[in-house]
């Protein structure tokens, strides 16, 4: 294993992918901070909108590692962490390297600008994966350089851009991902497929989606609720893809408050939404093939069941694979 | 991500799993060396029998990182690296930590004892995953401690033991693993399933196996050669599991030199072998369920084909998952 800049950036990428699907409307971003001697001080990610950016989470952990001052561990709000670091850093970061999968932000939004924070902390060098093309946040590199920070851009650029793609789609259009859970033998039926932890993650993603697409047959047969109850989250709007418009209104999904249910046999309604999850099997897979950006497979390490993915033919590139709890979670794109 | 002793050991474990199936008759072992300031100096593994142990590979890389003396990079033989390190270390390792998934060996075999090398280099502390129960190599910890090295045993012990199990089975009995390649939709037919890199890895494993088990039907239909030509390796003996003893002798596997082909409808012959791979699909899976230690799945990120794993029911624990080139490689055990 080669321990170099690519290794440090790949740790940031790996950490960021754990939160892909959970950061809307923000991007999934990861950050590694490396000390004076090449020691890894922190590998952190952005977890969800409203919480600190990846760089702030990483600098918080790195500060604690270097100072053992545990006051900072009590701070959760990004503005508090910014302020605390600015007041107490004592130039301890001046020989540190920072690796961020995305150009540090330049805008003062819910949280102050990361680029300004990093340059005021006098970080020696910043390695950037993707350049930020978001009008509100771009030019972070320029702020860093203007303030004397050395910047090297496009380290692991291809990998960082693949991590960033969902965000870039939110910004200008919409991001659509097809999520399914299957066993090793590709079945999706006969009982629960995924672990509780995987199902919680899916509920967490539903909480962050504004629209969930499901097939009419699945609604009729499974009578699902399709909410985010496992994480106490909000239920997304639903598009039931169906030619037949009549559904038994006692099916639980219709009874969820503050949700719109649309029944349609086309996808024009998608233009009103930004972060869209499709849940389904072979049929929905084929129907939605042309509108999907990424695929997300929860693979349970088991054999069983009878029916699942058949009569499909496609090839994917695996963008990230992780074992979380019992299951494997794979983000992919069609090639 | 928590950067602690478990993290450093998990890097060693991850690196070692890449060579699982390739180290026979030696164990798969990984090793991380961390410097004075917590910087990662090396993460290496044992690659194959006759080559340096994981600790030696890691110490070689760590020595170069600390000294930039590239003479050591020219050395491949374990004894040469041992000698060079002993003559040139100048106490540079005295504040280093070493993490090994297996207790460093105590025996002088093809390579000198790792425990002695580590203690002569005055490594400050050694973290050990699994204790070595191999009579020839055990007591490495005792050598380390006798020579003033601090030892902490059983760090990530469960994970290290799962990595070590194949070796423990070679030692006292035999290790049997069931390998298959499938697509995401669980098919195994209609053309080549795995990438060239995955197929090379399988050939490399065949080269290290002493027996390969295959079903009679597969032999009749696929007419395979079942050798290790992609890596210029030796072809293992073959057990064709079949009630019908008559086979067309022009099937390529019969024409491979220096190989025994046994045709049998039972597994008693397995007692003559140590490292045994089964290749097959559902039928062989069911037939060999009681004799298999580990399962190895090469998962191609594609949909296609028609037939594969059906009528099976089982649950697995994933021991390691890795993306290598295009495919996912999973080691599992049944639970």
């Amino acid at each position: 294993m080669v321990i170099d800049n690519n290794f440090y950036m790949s740790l940031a990428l790996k950490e960021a992918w754990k939160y892909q699907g959970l950061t809307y409307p923000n991007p999934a971003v990861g950050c590694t901070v490396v000390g004076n001697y090449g020691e890894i001080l922190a590998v952190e990610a952005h977890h969800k909108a409203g919480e600190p950016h990846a760089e702030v989470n990483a600098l918080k952990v790195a500060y604690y590692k270097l100072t053992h001052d545990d006051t900072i561990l009590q701070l959760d709000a990004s503005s508090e962490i910014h302020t605390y670091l600015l007041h107490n850093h004592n130039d301890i970061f001046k020989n540190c390297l920072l690796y961020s999968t995305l150009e540090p932000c330049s805008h003062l939004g819910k949280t102050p600008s990361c680029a300004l924070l990093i340059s005021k902390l006098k970080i020696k060098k910043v390695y950037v994966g993707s350049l930020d093309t978001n009008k509100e946040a771009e030019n972070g590199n320029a702020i860093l350089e203007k303030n004397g920070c050395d910047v090297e851009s496009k380290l692991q650029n291809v990998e960082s851009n693949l991590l960033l793609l969902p965000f870039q789609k939110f910004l200008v259009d919409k991001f659509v991902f097809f999520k399914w859970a299957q066993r090793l033998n590709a079945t999706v039926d006969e009982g629960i497929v995924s672990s509780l932890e995987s199902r919680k993650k899916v509920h967490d993603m539903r909480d962050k989606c504004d629209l969930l697409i499901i097939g009419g047959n699945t609604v009729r047969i499974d009578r699902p609720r399709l909410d985010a109850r496992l994480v106490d989250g909000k239920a997304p709007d639903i598009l039931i893809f169906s030619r037949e418009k009549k559904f038994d209104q006692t099916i639980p999904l219709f009874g969820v408050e503050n949700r719109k249910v649309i029944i349609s046999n086309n996808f024009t309604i998608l233009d009103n939404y930004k972060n869209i999850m499709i849940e389904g099997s072979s049929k929905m897979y084929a129907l939605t093939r042309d509108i999907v950006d990424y695929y997300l497979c929860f693979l349970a390490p088991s054999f069983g069941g009878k029916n699942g993915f058949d009569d499909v033919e496609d090839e994917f590139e695996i963008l990230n694979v992780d074992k979380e709890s019992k299951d494997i979670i794979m983000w992919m794109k069609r090639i």
Side-chain angles (χ1 to χ4, degrees), chain A residues 37-48:
Chain A
Y37 303 98
E39 74 277 25
I40 298 172
L41 296 172
V43 182
E44 297 294 332
H46 179 49
H47 295 181
K48 59 184 276 194

Side-chain angles (χ1 to χ4, degrees), chain A residues 13-281:
Chain A
L13 284 162
K14 201 86 194 151
E15 187 69 10
W17 273 107
K18 290 185 191 162
Y19 299 90
Q20 188 69 280
L22 301 175
T23 59
Y24 175 78
N26 290 348
V29 180
C31 179
T32 299
V33 180
V34 169
N36 198 7
Y37 303 98
E39 74 277 25
I40 298 172
L41 296 172
V43 182
E44 297 294 332
H46 179 49
H47 295 181
K48 59 184 276 194
E51 294 192 1
H53 286 182
E55 300 94 317
V56 177
N57 278 329
L59 288 166
K60 172 182 165 177
V61 173
Y63 172 84
Y64 174 68
K65 265 264 175 84
L66 289 169
T67 62
H68 303 290
D69 168 11
D70 58 7
T71 315
I72 201 164
L73 301 182
Q74 319 303 319
L75 307 179
D76 291 324
S78 189
S79 57
E80 290 174 348
I81 302 167
H82 274 251
T83 306
Y84 195 86
L85 286 172
L86 288 172
H87 284 154
N88 297 283
H89 69 87
N90 282 325
D91 292 351
I92 52 164
F93 293 111
K94 74 171 192 287
N95 289 309
C96 288
L97 311 174
L98 185 144
Y99 300 77
S100 181
T101 61
L102 177 62
E103 182 179 356
C105 70
S106 64
H107 73 315
L108 302 158
K110 278 183 196 167
T111 56
S113 142
C114 286
L116 210 57
L117 174 68
I118 291 166
S119 54
K120 284 190 177 172
L121 295 181
K122 300 178 190 164
I123 296 266
K124 187 175 166 184
K125 185 160 184 177
V126 177
Y127 294 87
V128 167
S130 295
L131 297 178
D132 200 339
T133 52
N134 174 17
K135 284 273 171 287
E136 272 185 52
E138 66 180 358
N139 296 322
N141 281 1
I143 293 180
L144 289 168
E145 286 174 334
K146 205 182 92 180
N147 289 284
C149 180
D150 194 9
V151 178
E152 184 176 322
S153 284
K154 298 195 178 178
L155 179 68
Q156 304 252 78
N157 185 243
V158 172
E159 295 80 356
S160 298
N161 286 346
L162 288 167
L163 173 70
L164 189 63
L165 180 132
F167 174 68
Q168 291 179 314
K169 299 277 310 202
F170 306 150
L171 278 184
V172 297
D173 181 14
K174 57 185 173 289
F175 174 65
V176 183
F177 67 107
F178 185 98
K179 171 253 141 189
W180 81 99
Q182 68 163 64
R183 299 184 189 86
L184 262 177
N185 60 331
T187 60
V188 302
D189 63 344
E190 294 192 3
I192 291 168
V193 174
S194 300
S195 70
L196 178 61
E197 290 82 357
S198 295
R199 285 179 284 136
K200 277 187 181 167
K201 186 153 191 171
V202 171
H203 280 223
D204 208 357
M205 287 181 180
R206 285 182 186 162
D207 173 58
K208 307 305 182 291
C209 283
D210 44 13
L211 182 69
L212 196 158
I213 307 178
I214 189 99
N217 271 343
T218 305
V219 171
R220 287 189 191 91
I221 295 164
D222 291 356
R223 299 179 62 88
R225 183 180 305 271
L226 297 174
D227 62 3
R229 64 196 174 279
L230 291 176
V231 297
D232 258 336
K234 70 160 185 42
D237 287 355
I238 301 276
L239 167 62
I240 301 176
F241 194 85
S242 173
R243 244 174 304 187
E244 172 57 63
K245 299 288 184 293
K246 233 178 124 181
F247 280 84
D248 173 359
Q249 292 294 311
T250 69
I251 292 171
L253 75 86
F254 292 102
V256 176
E257 277 181 15
N258 301 317
R259 133 180 303 168
K260 209 187 285 183
V261 179
I262 302 121
I263 302 167
S264 174
N265 62 351
N266 66 61
F267 295 118
T268 52
I269 192 77
L270 269 65
D271 291 336
N272 301 339
Y273 294 92
K274 288 284 177 190
N275 188 27
I276 301 163
M277 170 153 69
I278 304 167
E279 297 197 39
S281 182

